[in-house]
Amino acid sequence: MSRLQTGLRTGLLAVTVAAVVSGCASQSQQSAQESTLRPMEQTRLIAGMHYGSLYQRNLLFGLAQPSQPETAWDLTRDNLSLELDLEEARLARELAWLEQNPAHVTAVSQRALPYYHYILEQVLERGMPAEVALIPFIESGYNPFAVSSARAAGPWQFIPGTARNFGLESNWWYDGRRDIVASTDAALNYLSKLNDMFEGDWLLTFAAYNAGEGNVLRAMNRNREANKPLDYWSLRLPAETMRYVPKLLATARVIRDADTLGVELEAIPAEPYFAQIDTGGQLDLSQAAALAEIDLDELKRLNPGFSRWATAPEGPHRLLVPVENADQFQTALVQLPVEERVNYQHYTINSGDTLGAIARRFGTTVSALQQANQMDHTRLRVGQTLLVPAGNTDLALQSARAGSG
């Protein structure tokens, strides 16, 4: 997308916002009503934002109004912005492979079901082309648990160093690279930075996301010194990157032409799949699933950032649950007694401490301490920090045993 197109989209969004604000001013009670919207209502409101901005744009220019997209794939097709019909040999090879292996696209679209609409909406709200939402197709096959040989992890495949640079935390309890909300925000921040660096050229942006900006800049410098073009197709880049961008464009083209090609895509509605709920502190995942009245596997699928049987002691203190279970979960959380929550404290070992003494002091068990700290022994060293389960120790021990694997 050119800078002119980007500026136009930004300006149109501003017009849309102004129109909405103007309308709200005539309704004195609307602010109060919006502040009390339930999670399901809030997420549905968000779901309509992009369609509304498209409506305002067409109204402004006297264009025919679009029909509201029924699926996330319709919304994707409406917002594909790059040239997908180029006659490039590399693009033709990737397209041929996808056409010969339609089950691959089908399988990835099925894995994308809980996440795709959210990621697409985040992409469009930033004025990015819809092709950006297809990056996890290429990076991880939309599997948030994917890990590469280079230790890249999550749907966007962040390596540890880049993850730290973009604020993604990683510890024994939690890996932000797998967190759908956190990793998507970090990835889009990174892509925005790269797109500014490459002056709005999305193909160079995608190449830099895969190979690193240094590799792309060096390739451009080599071409510049040789008086060669500086566009992506003219650069000599690492072999993986030479395939990466054509693979992304071919995927976008197959999704655009899925009906014509006979490719079956998972039916993903053009509305939110999940809502974000503030848990108010640490929470056992099995307990959370019961409170939300969903399967534990579904809760884990929506919250892949949490590595253990409970959310992280120091946060993030939020869980994603299906939209239709959001009200139930919020109500149950409000009614949950504090003493029935799992929570952990940090304790620094002093001279003379034993696991038994620490367990008695905090009202827990030696086994719970060992489970919480991945210990298969009772030896301690001065200065060592232990995670100590507090509150409902029986629940902590039960959860630890169930989830330590």
Side-chain angles (χ1 to χ4, degrees):
M1 182 185 300
S2 68
R3 289 189 176 277
L4 177 59
Q5 290 171 311
T6 302
L8 179 59
R9 177 172 282 184
T10 302
L12 291 169
L13 181 59
V15 170
T16 302
V17 172
V20 173
V21 171
S22 176
C24 290
S26 65
Q27 302 178 38
S28 60
Q29 299 302 318
Q30 185 157 342
S31 296
Q33 292 171 349
E34 288 182 351
S35 67
T36 59
L37 284 176
R38 294 178 297 174
M40 188 181 302
E41 295 168 328
Q42 292 170 340
T43 48
R44 284 176 178 163
L45 181 63
I46 292 171
M49 287 177 65
H50 182 75
Y51 174 78
S53 63
L54 192 61
Y55 179 91
Q56 290 290 337
R57 182 199 70 180
N58 287 4
L59 185 65
L60 181 66
F61 290 102
L63 303 176
Q65 291 301 343
S67 58
Q68 187 163 2
E70 294 182 359
T71 73
W73 306 118
D74 294 330
L75 189 58
T76 301
R77 294 180 189 110
D78 290 344
N79 290 277
L80 293 172
S81 304
L82 305 181
E83 178 54 66
L84 304 181
D85 297 304
L86 292 169
E87 294 187 4
E88 289 284 347
R90 282 182 278 158
L91 177 56
R93 282 195 295 271
E94 299 300 335
L95 184 62
W97 189 91
L98 289 173
E99 290 177 350
Q100 293 164 12
N101 297 272
H104 170 75
V105 178
T106 301
V108 177
S109 73
Q110 290 170 344
R111 285 194 294 271
L113 171 61
Y115 321 118
Y116 185 73
H117 179 267
Y118 173 80
I119 290 176
L120 178 62
E121 280 294 310
Q122 296 305 303
V123 167
L124 298 182
E125 285 178 17
R126 293 188 184 222
M128 294 177 168
E131 286 88 345
V132 172
L134 302 179
I135 289 177
F137 259 77
I138 312 305
E139 290 286 351
S140 63
Y142 256 96
N143 176 10
F145 296 100
V147 180
S148 77
S149 58
R151 296 193 302 143
W156 298 91
Q157 289 290 283
F158 274 98
I159 60 174
T162 307
R164 287 191 296 271
N165 290 341
F166 285 87
L168 293 176
E169 298 180 21
S170 181
N171 53 53
W172 188 72
W173 292 94
Y174 168 80
D175 190 338
R177 297 177 298 170
R178 298 196 306 264
D179 185 311
I180 300 303
V181 171
S183 69
T184 297
D185 183 61
L188 299 188
N189 287 341
Y190 185 23
L191 285 160
S192 293
K193 176 183 176 181
L194 292 172
N195 196 240
D196 286 342
M197 180 182 296
F198 293 103
E199 299 182 343
D201 189 314
W202 280 103
L203 300 193
L204 293 176
T205 298
F206 296 149
Y209 186 85
N210 176 253
E213 54 266 45
N215 279 325
V216 176
L217 290 170
R218 284 189 289 272
M220 293 176 70
N221 285 335
R222 287 194 297 269
N223 276 27
R224 187 178 290 109
E225 292 170 359
N227 292 318
K228 294 181 179 179
L230 304 181
D231 64 286
Y232 165 77
W233 299 105
S234 302
L235 300 181
R236 189 65 187 171
L237 293 161
E240 180 185 335
T241 312
M242 296 288 278
R243 288 192 62 193
Y244 184 85
V245 175
K247 191 181 298 185
L248 180 60
L249 297 180
T251 299
R253 184 163 157 180
V254 167
I255 287 172
R256 185 195 68 184
D257 301 334
D259 292 341
T260 303
L261 297 172
V263 175
E264 184 177 348
L265 297 172
E266 181 72 14
I268 302 178
E271 59 185 30
Y273 185 94
F274 60 75
Q276 301 180 52
I277 304 298
D278 185 348
T279 62
Q282 192 178 27
L283 199 63
D284 171 83
L285 293 181
S286 295
Q287 184 182 42
L291 294 175
E293 297 185 352
I294 59 174
D295 291 338
L296 178 58
D297 286 344
E298 171 74 345
L299 186 73
K300 289 181 176 180
R301 182 166 71 142
L302 288 175
N303 299 275
F306 295 114
S307 306
R308 307 297 167 183
W309 62 91
T311 61
E314 297 176 355
H317 296 310
R318 60 166 161 73
L319 283 172
L320 309 184
V321 299
V323 167
E324 58 268 24
N325 299 86
D327 287 350
Q328 162 65 31
F329 188 43
Q330 277 198 321
T331 300
L333 279 174
V334 170
Q335 297 172 351
L336 181 66
V338 173
E339 62 271 16
E340 292 186 15
R341 281 180 174 266
V342 169
N343 62 83
Y344 286 78
Q345 302 180 43
H346 289 89
Y347 177 74
T348 302
I349 303 300
N350 296 307
S351 178
D353 278 339
T354 65
L355 280 182
I358 295 170
R360 288 190 296 274
R361 177 175 175 180
F362 287 95
T364 185
T365 67
V366 170
S367 179
L369 288 172
Q370 289 176 312
Q371 290 279 6
N373 293 278
Q374 295 183 292
M375 299 170 63
D376 57 4
H377 55 78
T378 59
R379 299 185 302 276
L380 299 174
R381 69 175 185 277
V382 174
Q384 177 184 356
T385 299
L386 290 182
L387 280 174
V388 181
N392 190 335
T393 301
D394 290 339
L395 176 60
L397 180 56
Q398 179 183 355
S399 301
R401 284 174 173 166
S404 59

